[in-house]
Each structure stands twice: as C-alpha cells, then as structure tokens.
C-alpha cells in the first residue's frame, strides 16, 4: 500500500517541506510497511508522538484506583477513558490479561478482597462481580441502617412507656392524697 504524505497533498512549503522530508524518511526506513491505515496510524503515532505523552497516560492508568466512596461504574468510566487514550496511540500497548489485572488491582479494598478469590478470567466477569458485590454491600448497609433505626425506635418506645408509667404513678399518688382534679362544669 502506498501512502501520499499529507504535506505533499496540501502543497506545504519551507518548514512543512522539512516535515515532509522527515515523514518520508521515516516511512522509507520502515522495514515492515503498514498494510492498512490503522496500522499506519499506530506506527506514525508511535514514532512521532511525544513519548512522554504515552508514558504519562500509562503512569496515570497504572496507578489509577477506585475511590473509597466511588461507585464501580464511575471507576469503570475513568478506567475506560484512560485506556482509550492509550489505545488511540497504540492499540496493542496492553494485553487483555494486563487490562483485567489493572482493573482488579485498582478496585477499592472492600471490593478487591472479595473479587480476587473469584479469579475472573475476563474484564466483563470482573466488572460483573464488582458490581454484584457493590450492590450486595449497599443492600446490607441499607438493612443495617433500617435495623439501627428500628432499634433506636424500640429504645424510644421503651423510654416513652417508662415516662408514661411515671406520670400515671404520680397522678395516682396525687389523687390518693385527696387532691381534687378540676373538672369543668
């Protein structure tokens, strides 16, 4: 497949000619010429992109962690956004097992400890397990909150009952001392 350099198509001059010469030199130096546009794009970006740019993206990706209060879905969105940026430069930078490992390692500790023993074999399995655990944890927290409110409600009922008994006892003592209670006519 033959490629026409962009600089040539747009009739660039001077500095653009230098860019054209650099691009042509690079392309001619390739031992294995790309067979389609996507392969060409990968090779082009790999050679001409700022290497610090991909290194920065990879660094961000490999240290990415789910926040303790962040949902799995929000973490997954950030994860995919960063992964897509890396793959736009080099689609094969990470293998599927590396991507899976990075997702799992980035999960918050409360989810991570329950997902690792399941040994998910695909990213989709890991996401499903993480979401299931998050949902179960949320339901358990809800049930715990309801139980706490019910226990406090029972304590309050007990205190109100004791208070009512105390008032009735004092009222009986007051009446037993022959104190009249005002009765409207």
């Amino acid at each position: 497949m033959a490629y026409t350099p962009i600089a040539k198509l747009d009739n660039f001059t001077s500095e653009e000619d230098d860019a054209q010469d650099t691009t042509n030199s690079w392309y001619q130096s390739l031992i294995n010429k790309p067979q389609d546009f996507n392969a060409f794009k990968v090779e082009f970006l790999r050679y001409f992109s700022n290497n610090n740019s991909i290194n920065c993206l990879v660094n961000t990706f490999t240290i990415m962690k789910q926040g303790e209060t962040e949902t799995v879905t929000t973490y997954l969105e950030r994860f995919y956004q960063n992964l897509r940026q890396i793959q736009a430069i080099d689609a094969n930078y990470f293998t599927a097992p590396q991507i899976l490992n990075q997702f799992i390692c980035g999960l918050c500790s409360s989810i991570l400890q329950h997902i690792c023993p399941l040994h998910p074999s695909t990213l989709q399995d890991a996401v499903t397990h993480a979401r299931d655990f998050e949902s179960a944890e949320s339901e358990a927290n809800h049930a715990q909150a309801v139980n706490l409110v019910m226990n406090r409600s029972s304590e309050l009922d007990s205190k109100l009952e004791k208070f009512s008994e105390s008032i009735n006892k004092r009222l009986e003592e007051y009446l037993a001392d022959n104190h009249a209670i005002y009765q409207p006519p």
Side-chain angles (χ1 to χ4, degrees):
M1 172 179 229
Y3 294 100
T4 303
I6 293 173
K8 196 173 213 174
L9 292 174
D10 290 337
N11 297 318
F12 290 134
T13 57
S14 66
E15 290 180 7
E16 289 83 5
D17 286 337
D18 291 339
Q20 178 182 352
D21 291 341
T22 302
T23 305
N24 283 336
S25 295
W26 161 76
Y27 183 74
Q28 296 306 321
S29 71
L30 291 175
I31 295 170
N32 296 320
K33 306 275 191 260
Q35 297 302 308
D36 59 36
F37 180 74
N38 285 334
F40 173 79
K41 181 176 79 170
V42 166
E43 290 300 321
F44 183 87
L45 290 173
R46 184 178 287 149
Y47 186 82
F48 287 103
S49 69
N50 180 348
N51 200 26
N52 290 335
S53 173
I54 194 163
N55 290 341
C56 184
L57 289 171
V58 168
N59 260 355
T60 300
F61 185 71
T62 57
I63 64 171
M64 183 184 300
K65 300 283 183 200
Q66 177 188 11
E68 288 300 320
T69 60
E70 184 178 29
T71 66
V72 171
T73 299
T74 305
Y75 166 61
L76 185 62
E77 288 169 0
R78 286 190 311 113
F79 182 86
Y80 273 135
Q81 180 182 10
N82 198 293
L83 181 59
R84 279 191 297 272
Q85 289 175 328
I86 293 168
Q87 289 178 332
I89 296 171
D90 185 350
N92 299 316
Y93 194 91
F94 290 113
T95 64
Q98 288 172 321
I99 293 169
L100 170 63
N101 184 62
Q102 183 54 45
F103 175 78
I104 292 171
C105 289
L107 288 168
C108 67
S109 58
S110 64
I111 296 177
L112 177 65
Q113 66 186 359
H114 295 281
I115 302 304
C116 284
L118 300 174
H119 304 289
S121 59
T122 66
L123 182 58
Q124 187 57 47
D125 288 346
V127 169
T128 299
H129 292 317
R131 284 182 171 156
D132 288 349
F133 179 78
E134 180 180 62
S135 178
E137 187 178 50
S138 177
E139 288 174 18
N141 286 342
H142 176 73
Q144 186 178 10
V146 168
N147 287 338
L148 182 62
V149 168
M150 295 303 288
N151 288 341
R152 287 188 180 160
S153 176
S154 295
E155 290 172 14
L156 185 57
D157 286 347
S158 175
K159 289 179 181 179
L160 285 174
E161 189 176 320
K162 287 179 184 177
F163 180 70
S164 177
E165 289 171 1
S166 173
I167 295 291
N168 285 336
K169 183 178 176 185
R170 287 188 183 178
L171 180 60
E172 287 173 7
E173 289 172 357
Y174 184 75
L175 291 176
D177 288 340
N178 293 324
H179 290 100
I181 296 180
Y182 174 73
Q183 299 275 331

